Amino acid sequence: MDVKLNLINLSKDTNNSEILIFLKEASDIDESAVAWQVIRNLGQGDNYPFVYPAASTIAASDSWGNYTPQLSATPGQLFAMVRTTSGDELVAKGTSSAPSEIQCANDLPQGAISVGIYKSGKLLATKTGIAPGQMAAFKFEPYLYIDVASQVVEGDIIDAAIISNIQWKLSLHGISSADIVMTDGGRYSGLPFHFLLSNIVTAP
């Protein structure tokens, strides 16, 4: 189910810090991640409502620079990039080999593909360089990673050094809505930022 979230800035920050939110992709051994949300200009006392949706979409691009439409995707589904009479297309192919994964095979005769998973229309995770005969697999656990960061662009791969400095991991297990309260911190306070869940409503 969708999780309704509301980020509230109750910190002492006067540096107009940017807030990064992302998920780690469980089957990604190289620990790369995509900046799913980058929240800017959230003043003291401001709030930013957003949703972590249950629904996901998948899209792919080929070596010719073509991008497919986004298709609805749920864990346990298998997709493939195939060559048709009209060109390269992304199609649903039935059930994946792992019920917790969204999988996408490169069934093209030639050329690597890139595959992306999206939530709320924003890129959540990506795999590149998938050669013919290979498969991309995506598995997510409901944990949000959040912290203050700089020079991060929404939809881009996050630098490994930034990921290693992220302090906060928030579990969305069993939650239907909650506030994410940002406290402390600030350029002149000398205190670290804190991000905590509050006003939690559990899922029925």
Side-chain angles (χ1 to χ4, degrees):
M1 71 184 309
D2 293 351
V3 183
K4 296 179 180 178
L5 298 164
N6 187 37
L7 175 61
I8 305 171
N9 181 8
L10 298 183
S11 77
K12 301 178 180 68
D13 179 39
T14 57
N15 199 35
N16 196 12
S17 299
E18 297 176 357
I19 302 161
L20 168 65
I21 301 174
F22 66 96
L23 275 77
K24 289 184 177 179
E25 204 278 295
S27 61
D28 195 348
I29 59 174
D30 63 6
E31 290 294 314
S32 64
V34 171
W36 179 51
Q37 304 256 12
V38 178
I39 300 164
R40 296 180 169 88
N41 303 313
L42 187 71
Q44 292 179 340
D46 288 358
N47 68 289
Y48 176 84
F50 66 102
V51 173
Y52 178 76
S56 301
T57 56
I58 188 172
S61 61
D62 64 15
S63 60
W64 309 102
N66 302 307
Y67 290 80
T68 72
Q70 294 182 26
L71 305 178
S72 177
T74 58
Q77 279 191 287
L78 171 65
F79 297 83
M81 192 74 148
V82 299
R83 180 70 48 81
T84 71
T85 54
S86 69
D88 296 345
E89 294 184 14
L90 180 66
V91 298
K93 295 277 284 188
T95 303
S96 67
S97 60
S100 60
E101 293 182 352
I102 299 171
Q103 297 177 345
C104 182
N106 182 353
D107 288 347
L108 296 177
Q110 66 185 63
I113 65 170
S114 296
V115 184
I117 300 293
Y118 299 78
K119 282 187 179 290
S120 298
K122 298 182 177 184
L123 185 64
L124 183 73
T126 187
K127 306 239 174 166
T128 60
I130 310 302
Q134 293 183 338
M135 180 181 295
F138 299 88
K139 178 182 177 181
F140 302 98
E141 298 292 343
Y143 294 100
L144 290 184
Y145 292 81
I146 182 169
D147 213 329
V148 168
S150 60
Q151 299 181 332
V152 180
V153 177
E154 198 168 271
D156 281 1
I157 299 293
I158 306 168
D159 185 90
I162 294 176
I163 293 178
S164 66
N165 287 325
I166 297 298
Q167 299 291 318
W168 300 96
K169 176 183 178 181
L170 305 178
S171 174
L172 303 183
H173 279 287
I175 292 176
S176 64
S177 67
D179 293 332
I180 302 174
V181 181
M182 173 182 172
T183 59
D184 300 322
R187 183 175 183 181
Y188 303 109
S189 72
L191 299 172
F193 290 98
H194 288 72
F195 293 87
L196 300 172
L197 292 176
S198 180
N199 297 323
I200 296 172
V201 176
T202 57

